[in-house]
């Protein structure tokens, strides 16, 4: 019973004094029970710890063998003097040895994993005439006539506690009386946000569209024929043999999935450029009914998109902003509660929308816990890992296990800006300071939940405030339907000051 109580938080709400009825004159109150994240300190699943070390050991061969070979070769060469070479080796032998050393070096460099570089990225900022305040949102929702009074009141209450400010962006078309979602509206919005982000990226990197060999586009809910990736190819006239991929139905975590796919393709085609585009179509997921679970998406999702240029060329390290260090994906769809936590469905009146289950915070917490437990061995200092294992081996039976301090592994954290409540829960469980949470909270306030592109608006915030210094490690965490939790870690290759093109720069 105690374990069940830990999953919920309770709020006592005072509703004042009863005016009439058998209880007139008495106080009326209610108790609200809300699901919450699981306590990360209560237990540790060793299965995910072992998985993290398996990832680490899988790449250790290259780092262990290289120093060993260098030492052996150095010892053998020290036995020989210049006279030995001069007297015993002719020109043919010398050329043969140089060729052999060159071949060994080539094989080693070719067999070791290549670094993946983030050359640059760009986030789209919609025009100012699409800005919408919370008050205007409710006013337009009331005027359109699609929502009942209870639905209006529910959205008003959610917006008040959402953490979203009064300058996020939303297409006005959704508030037209009788508005119905259509492919036309979805494609128009997708084109605006995707093309806008890509244009800014091309302007910042000076890359020609024909230089791009790999294209990965992700959009959680809008899937059309031709695909969104084909829209990009057509608009920017990318070359005919481009490797194009379109990820759909994977929710807000698909942005990291797209980075993972681009990484694999860049390793298969070394020296190439990969364009990754993360977007969502608010007009295609708009819900005009009265189901509270489906109205949540209306309150949180906003317009936005991000475009990222990656490369596996070693020469690009000179001008790239970041290097990809780790990427861990966790998928919990084997569990029915996780699988059904976020889905597109129709309500009793046949109206389509995104349904968000009341279990989403709890299942999301379990996915996050599994993900960071797997990530820990890849990023935490050795001292923290030793502290964790010694505590695990010698702790008392009822004592809670020691949870490593993830703040020692990263200088910055970018958590998908879903809602204020989710950010609060993650901050409490990971014991993050307000400085670590600032980018996520500011992005939620300024742009709302822009789905898979949200973590890039957060990184853009850090750059706009000159927070990124050479060597800094940035942890991006994204959640999505399924249920999925994905993490990607970047290392800054230089001091990244305020960029000329940024959604956070007013003259942008």
């Amino acid at each position: 019973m105690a374990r069940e109580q830990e999953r919920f938080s309770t709020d006592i709400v005072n509703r004042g004094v009863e005016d009439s009825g058998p209880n007139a004159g008495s106080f009326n109150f209610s108790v609200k029970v809300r699901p919450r994240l699981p306590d990360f300190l209560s237990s540790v699943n060793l299965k995910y710890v072992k998985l993290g070390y398996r990832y680490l050991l899988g790449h250790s061969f290259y780092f262990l063998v290289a120093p060993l070979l260098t030492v052996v070769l150095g010892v053998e060469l020290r036995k020989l003097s210049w006279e030995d070479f001069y007297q015993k080796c002719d020109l043919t032998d010398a050329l043969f040895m140089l060729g052999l050393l060159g071949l060994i070096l080539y094989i080693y460099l070719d067999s070791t994993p290549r670094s993946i570089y983030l050359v640059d990225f760009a986030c789209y900022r919609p025009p100012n005439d699409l800005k919408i305040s919370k008050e205007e949102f409710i006013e337009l929702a009331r005027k359109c006539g699609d929502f009942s009074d209870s639905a209006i009141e529910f959205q008003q209450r959610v917006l008040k506690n959402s953490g979203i400010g009064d300058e996020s962006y939303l297409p006005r078309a959704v508030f037209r009386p009788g508005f119905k979602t259509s492919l036309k509206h979805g494609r128009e919005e997708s084109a605006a946000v995707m093309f806008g982000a890509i244009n800014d990226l091309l302007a910042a990197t000076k890359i020609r569209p024909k230089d791009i060999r790999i294209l990965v586009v992700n959009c959680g809910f809008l899937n059309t024929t031709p695909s969104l990736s084909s829209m990009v190819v057509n608009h920017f006239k990318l070359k005919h043999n481009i490797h194009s991929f379109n990820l759909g139905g994977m929710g807000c975590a698909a942005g990291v999935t797209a980075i993972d796919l681009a990484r694999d393709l860049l390793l298969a085609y070394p020296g190439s450029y990969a364009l990754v585009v993360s977007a969502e179509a608010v007009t295609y997921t708009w819900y005009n009914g009265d189901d509270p679970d489906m109205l949540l998406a209306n309150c949180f999702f906003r317009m936005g998109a991000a475009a990222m240029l990656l490369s596996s060329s070693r020469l690009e390290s000179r001008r790239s902003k970041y290097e990809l260090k780790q990427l861990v994906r966790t998928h919990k769809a084997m569990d029915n509660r996780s699988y059904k936590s976020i889905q597109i469905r129709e309500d009793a009146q046949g109206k389509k929308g995104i349904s968000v289950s009341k279990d989403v915070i709890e299942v999301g917490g379990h996915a996050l816990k599994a993900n960071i437990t797997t990530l820990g061995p890849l990023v935490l200092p050795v001292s923290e890992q030793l502290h964790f294992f010694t505590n695990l081996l010698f702790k008392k039976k009822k004592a809670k296990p020691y949870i490593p301090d993830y703040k020692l592994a990263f200088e910055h954290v970018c958590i998908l800006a879903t809602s204020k409540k989710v950010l609060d829960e993650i901050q409490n469980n990971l014991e993050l300071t307000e400085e670590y949470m600032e980018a996520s909270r500011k992005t939620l306030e300024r742009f709302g939940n822009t789905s898979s592109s949200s973590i890039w608006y957060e990184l853009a915030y850090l750059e706009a405030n000159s927070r990124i210094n050479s060597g800094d490690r940035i942890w991006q965490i994204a959640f999505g339907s399924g249920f999925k939790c994905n993490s990607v870690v970047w290392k800054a290759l230089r001091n990244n000051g305020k960029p000329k093109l940024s959604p956070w720069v007013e003259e942008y």
Side-chain angles (χ1 to χ4, degrees):
M1 184 65 180
R3 184 174 297 177
E4 288 295 324
Q5 290 176 349
E6 290 178 358
R7 295 181 180 177
F8 301 94
S9 62
T10 57
D11 291 334
I12 298 178
V13 181
N14 183 4
R15 298 188 179 278
V17 180
E18 289 282 356
D19 296 328
S20 59
N23 298 320
S26 62
F27 287 99
N28 179 24
F29 67 90
S30 62
V31 179
K32 291 185 176 181
V33 182
R34 296 187 175 92
R36 60 182 302 170
L37 287 182
D39 185 2
F40 285 15
L41 302 178
S42 61
S43 64
V44 173
N45 194 327
L46 292 181
K47 175 177 68 174
Y48 299 111
V49 177
K50 289 167 60 179
L51 182 60
Y53 279 104
R54 190 182 304 167
Y55 289 156
L56 182 64
L57 294 175
H59 295 89
S60 62
F61 171 80
Y62 304 103
F63 303 105
L64 294 177
V65 172
L68 181 61
L69 290 177
T70 303
V71 171
V72 172
L73 184 61
V75 170
E76 292 299 321
L77 289 177
R78 286 185 63 183
K79 298 178 181 178
L80 301 176
S81 63
W82 173 251
E83 288 74 14
D84 294 328
F85 281 109
Y86 182 78
Q87 294 175 2
K88 298 180 181 180
C89 296
D90 57 16
L91 181 60
T92 303
D93 293 331
L95 291 175
F96 174 78
M97 290 186 65
L98 288 175
L100 181 61
L101 288 174
L103 179 62
I104 293 173
L105 181 62
Y106 172 78
I107 293 175
Y108 175 74
L109 292 175
D110 189 62
S111 61
T112 53
R114 280 179 172 264
S115 294
I116 302 300
Y117 302 103
L118 175 61
V119 181
D120 208 341
F121 69 97
C123 299
Y124 176 70
R125 191 172 80 185
N128 288 334
D129 59 349
L130 295 182
K131 279 186 182 180
I132 187 167
S133 66
K134 290 178 286 189
E135 182 179 351
E136 186 181 8
F137 182 104
I138 296 301
E139 181 183 350
L140 292 175
R142 184 177 285 111
K143 287 181 178 180
C144 75
D146 291 332
F147 305 102
S148 64
D149 290 341
S150 60
I152 294 293
E153 182 183 350
F154 176 81
Q155 292 179 90
Q156 192 170 21
R157 188 166 63 251
V158 170
L159 283 171
K160 181 179 179 181
N161 302 312
S162 65
I164 299 177
D166 291 324
E167 291 190 306
S168 59
Y169 301 91
L170 199 61
R172 291 295 193 278
V174 297
F175 293 109
R176 294 174 185 166
F179 172 80
K180 293 182 179 180
T181 59
S182 66
L183 284 175
K184 179 177 181 293
H185 288 113
R187 291 176 71 91
E188 288 177 350
E189 181 188 345
S190 297
V193 297
M194 289 194 309
F195 298 166
I198 296 172
N199 280 328
D200 288 346
L201 179 65
L202 296 178
T205 59
K206 310 300 182 185
I207 292 294
R208 299 172 300 176
K210 68 178 183 179
D211 293 331
I212 299 170
R213 186 172 186 178
I214 298 163
L215 172 66
V216 183
V217 176
N218 73 270
C219 183
F221 304 109
L222 176 63
N223 292 288
T224 70
T225 301
S227 66
L228 297 181
S229 59
S230 294
M231 287 174 56
V232 173
V233 173
N234 176 263
H235 182 81
F236 290 95
K237 308 305 177 187
L238 304 183
K239 55 187 180 182
H240 69 278
N241 61 342
I242 190 168
H243 299 277
S244 174
F245 297 85
N246 195 90
L247 305 181
M250 302 189 75
C252 304
V256 179
T257 305
I259 294 292
D260 192 18
L261 176 58
R263 175 184 64 174
D264 291 344
L265 291 166
L266 285 170
L267 294 177
Y269 301 97
S272 303
Y273 287 113
L275 173 63
V276 177
V277 185
S278 296
E280 202 55 79
V282 179
T283 51
Y284 194 69
T285 59
W286 186 257
Y287 173 66
N288 55 5
D290 297 329
D291 188 325
D293 290 347
M294 302 172 73
L295 285 169
L296 285 172
N298 287 6
C299 298
F300 288 105
F301 282 112
R302 295 293 185 269
M303 294 178 67
M308 291 67 70
L309 183 69
L310 291 90
S311 176
S312 56
S313 172
R314 292 187 175 93
L315 296 177
E316 284 296 335
S317 62
R318 300 176 182 177
R319 69 162 181 155
S320 296
K321 287 186 172 182
Y322 305 94
E323 180 185 358
L324 178 61
K325 302 304 292 184
Q326 284 87 24
L327 194 151
V328 174
R329 293 166 55 190
T330 302
H331 205 309
K332 305 285 280 187
M334 74 292 292
D335 172 59
N336 283 333
R337 292 173 67 215
S338 298
Y339 176 70
K340 297 178 180 179
S341 59
I342 301 175
Q343 56 183 323
I344 288 186
R345 66 175 178 87
E346 295 177 342
D347 65 8
Q349 286 73 43
K351 297 179 178 179
K352 183 187 68 175
I354 303 173
S355 176
V356 181
S357 166
K358 294 179 175 63
D359 297 328
V360 69
I361 293 182
E362 183 184 349
V363 302
H366 287 298
L368 174 62
K369 183 177 180 179
N371 186 268
I372 65 174
T373 305
T374 305
L375 181 67
L378 303 175
V379 298
L380 287 168
V382 176
S383 59
E384 279 295 291
Q385 298 189 44
L386 289 175
H387 194 174
F388 167 76
F389 277 109
T390 53
N391 180 273
L392 191 66
L393 293 173
F394 301 109
K395 74 180 181 69
K396 297 178 180 179
K397 287 185 177 181
K398 294 185 179 180
K400 292 182 178 180
Y402 173 74
I403 301 299
D405 186 359
Y406 282 85
K407 296 189 294 294
L408 299 175
F410 311 105
E411 282 71 37
H412 311 282
V413 179
C414 299
I415 305 168
L416 185 77
T418 52
S419 69
K420 180 180 182 299
K421 180 174 177 57
V422 170
L423 294 179
D424 289 343
E425 290 283 351
I426 294 176
Q427 180 180 11
N428 292 335
N429 273 275
L430 295 182
E431 299 180 351
L432 299 174
T433 63
E434 284 298 330
E435 184 179 359
Y436 278 95
M437 299 298 298
E438 183 178 338
S440 300
R441 294 192 186 282
K442 291 293 186 181
T443 298
L444 178 64
E445 178 184 0
R446 178 63 178 83
F447 293 98
N449 183 351
T450 59
S451 189
S452 57
S453 64
S454 174
I455 54 177
W456 296 104
Y457 283 85
E458 295 166 19
L459 185 54
Y461 173 84
L462 294 172
E463 287 190 353
N465 288 274
S466 301
R467 301 280 182 83
I468 304 295
N469 298 314
S470 179
D472 282 1
R473 295 154 298 178
I474 302 96
W475 180 20
Q476 293 179 315
I477 316 171
F479 313 93
S481 57
F483 192 90
K484 296 181 287 294
C485 177
N486 296 337
S487 289
V488 60
V489 180
W490 304 93
K491 180 181 178 180
L493 298 177
R494 53 189 171 89
N495 296 339
N496 293 319
K498 183 181 294 186
K500 295 180 180 179
L501 296 176
S502 171
W504 297 94
V505 178
E506 288 304 320
E507 60 270 16
Y508 171 66

